[in-house]
Amino acid sequence: GSEMCIRDRDTDIDILVSGDVKHHDGQRAYEYGKLLIDISHFYSELPVLYTLKDILSKDFSNILIYDNPDFFIDSKEFKL
């Protein structure tokens, strides 16, 4: 996580994109003049999920894999 990347002021990292930034890590990055971008845990996993979908679709072509991230965000689409 971000706590491992921003340990001291002299780290070579200028910008860190993370899916899970804790308050104190964000504060430390600010104090060290580093740019820290928190894209949230959910969105940081999407690229991996799409890759996994592609792999599974090749091996299991007879199953439907739902891949619309709006489903998880906007419950209006979900109907029982």
Side-chain angles (χ1 to χ4, degrees):
S2 56
E3 69 275 1
M4 299 301 291
C5 295
I6 303 179
R7 289 185 175 186
D8 60 52
R9 189 177 306 275
D10 297 327
T11 184
D12 290 337
I13 296 171
D14 294 317
I15 300 172
L16 175 66
V17 178
S18 177
D20 188 21
V21 177
K22 295 176 181 69
H23 172 77
H24 289 100
D25 298 327
Q27 185 66 34
R28 184 179 307 117
Y30 174 78
E31 290 170 0
Y32 292 170
K34 308 296 180 179
L35 180 59
L36 189 57
I37 302 171
D38 185 359
I39 60 172
S40 87
H41 188 86
F42 174 79
Y43 289 104
S44 69
E45 291 181 343
L46 281 179
V48 174
L49 293 176
Y50 286 127
T51 301
L52 183 59
K53 175 202 159 247
D54 292 342
I55 293 168
L56 291 174
S57 294
K58 290 176 187 171
D59 292 337
F60 302 99
S61 60
N62 60 332
I63 63 170
L64 174 65
I65 300 174
Y66 192 78
D67 67 349
N68 182 353
D70 292 338
F71 173 80
F72 301 106
I73 301 165
D74 186 1
S75 61
K76 294 176 202 166
E77 282 190 32
F78 183 72
K79 296 175 181 146
L80 293 174

